[in-house]
Amino acid sequence: MNLCILGAGAWGTALAVRFATLDHSVTLVARRLEQALELAQTRENTTYLPGVKLPASLQIGLELLPALMEAELVLFACPSKHLAETARAVKESLTPAWNIRALVVCCKGLESETNLLPCEVLARELPGFSRAVLSGPSFADEVGSGLPTALVFATDGGEAFARETRNSLSGKGLRVYSSDDIIGVELGGCLKNVYAVAAGLSDGLKLGHNAKAALVTRSLAEMMKVGSLLGGRAETFLGLGGVGDLMLTTQGPQSRNRSLGERIAQGQNAADAIHALGTAEGYRASRCFHEICAARGLPAPILEQVYHVLHTGRDPRHAVHALLNRDPRSES
């Protein structure tokens, strides 16, 4: 397939490298011209994915228009806060002769101003295209290095297209599953970032393995309840885009969202922690989901405590106390 990947951060670069090794025609487009020139000259993304060499077949896009002209799949691997502007840039370059089969979301965060999911943002900015989301437990450096990884490709383009794309993107240690639950997969990818912050708070407070296991388990239960009420299917949250991503993000030392919670629990303020770590989608997602749950009357106690720690200055110890002192209830 002919793939155009928009965003040359760690994740976009890792996907470009992995798909290029599967003999796809891949063009990686950076947001800044100077970054594109550096990638083309050095054949390495030393800023975001050092140590991973770019295959000779991987093309680096210096301009958006040529990269899009023959693309079958356009993958949006930019941070979610840049998704709308990236989509508008694509729209300005559109011509009727293009053969784009689907727009694929590869970022995991809601739009701050509207609380829309990424595919909803694309539907608003680029109507008329099939949409898809590629998600699952995947640290960029491991994907770029060729380590075994499983992802889920959810699309509204029909079963045949989902099966064809799933099969085409799989190989050499990369296994892709298909789904038609776009909303569920996207909600899982966004919600897990908030719960990763909660796991980091537990780590930073040194609450122990028992507490963290309980926290992650109850986070999954809350994810399934909130996600189902917001339109996802319950079984989706038991798959790669739900519990799979949750396990990786709450446990992995590379998780920026987990590290954000850990730093805050150790006394650093949120602004300084984010400045040191870079993008941590759980920060914005906690506010978005707080607003969504409040508007719809959805109880989500873990989400609420993370929101208050990040946005209203609540002491993490007080948040833990509030969770532990809720009235006992049935687990189911």
Side-chain angles (χ1 to χ4, degrees):
M1 301 183 77
N2 194 309
L3 311 179
C4 174
I5 300 179
L6 306 179
W11 185 224
T13 304
L15 288 174
V17 169
R18 199 63 177 264
F19 291 142
T21 65
L22 293 174
D23 298 327
H24 296 292
S25 177
V26 183
T27 302
L28 177 64
V29 183
R31 293 182 68 241
R32 295 176 287 106
L33 179 60
E34 57 270 26
Q35 185 193 16
L37 290 171
E38 181 181 354
L39 293 175
Q41 292 168 1
T42 66
R43 306 306 297 178
E44 183 180 350
N45 192 336
T46 56
T47 301
Y48 297 108
L49 201 66
V52 176
K53 292 298 182 181
L54 307 185
S57 63
L58 174 59
Q59 304 171 70
I60 304 300
L62 301 180
E63 296 179 4
L64 185 58
L65 178 59
L68 291 167
M69 287 180 64
E70 298 181 0
E72 295 173 78
L73 298 182
V74 180
L75 284 70
F76 291 80
C78 53
S80 60
K81 64 183 179 181
H82 298 309
L83 180 59
E85 78 174 88
T86 303
R88 286 192 287 268
V90 171
K91 186 175 183 178
E92 291 174 1
S93 303
L94 282 176
T95 70
W98 287 5
N99 190 37
I100 296 174
R101 302 181 67 187
L103 308 174
V104 185
V105 167
C106 301
C107 53
K108 301 173 181 178
L110 294 88
E111 185 176 68
S112 293
E113 299 78 13
T114 63
N115 296 337
L116 291 176
L117 291 166
C119 273
E120 294 173 327
V121 173
L122 290 185
R124 182 192 68 206
E125 300 294 342
L126 289 163
F129 288 94
S130 290
R131 295 166 295 151
V133 54
L134 186 66
S135 189
S138 47
F139 284 143
D141 63 337
E142 295 187 11
V143 172
S145 298
L147 293 176
T149 301
L151 301 172
V152 57
F153 178 81
T155 179
D156 61 7
E159 184 178 350
F161 172 66
R163 184 170 57 250
E164 175 193 351
T165 307
R166 171 199 72 197
N167 295 345
S168 180
L169 298 182
S170 295
K172 296 183 179 179
L174 179 63
R175 185 171 177 85
V176 180
Y177 292 79
S178 56
S179 170
D180 62 358
D181 186 11
I182 289 180
I183 292 177
V185 172
E186 283 206 301
L187 283 169
C190 296
L191 284 164
K192 61 92 182 179
N193 288 325
V194 182
Y195 298 123
V197 176
L201 293 171
S202 177
D203 289 340
L205 293 173
K206 301 187 183 306
L207 299 182
H209 298 297
N210 294 349
K212 189 171 180 180
L215 174 64
V216 174
T217 302
R218 294 312 303 166
S219 293
L220 175 60
E222 188 172 291
M223 174 193 286
M224 292 179 67
K225 180 169 68 173
V226 172
S228 297
L229 290 171
L230 293 179
R233 294 200 299 266
E235 63 267 24
T236 298
F237 301 103
L238 294 176
L240 291 164
V243 64
D245 215 350
L246 180 69
M247 289 171 61
L248 181 73
T249 316
T250 56
Q251 305 297 329
Q254 302 170 61
S255 168
R256 282 178 289 188
N257 290 289
R258 191 206 62 79
S259 296
L260 172 62
E262 186 174 35
R263 284 171 176 258
I264 290 173
Q266 292 171 344
Q268 193 170 25
N269 66 54
D272 289 342
I274 291 171
H275 179 74
L277 293 167
T279 301
E281 295 284 6
Y283 180 79
R284 293 188 303 112
S286 66
R287 183 185 58 75
C288 292
F289 281 115
H290 164 76
E291 294 175 355
I292 291 170
C293 291
R296 303 194 184 196
L298 305 180
I302 300 174
L303 281 168
E304 279 301 293
Q305 293 303 327
V306 172
Y307 162 77
H308 283 296
V309 168
L310 293 180
H311 296 278
T312 69
R314 180 167 295 174
D315 189 316
R317 292 171 180 80
H318 294 166
V320 172
H321 179 80
L323 288 172
L324 291 176
N325 285 277
R326 296 176 66 237
D327 292 336
R329 48 163 291 178
S330 170
E331 184 180 32
S332 61

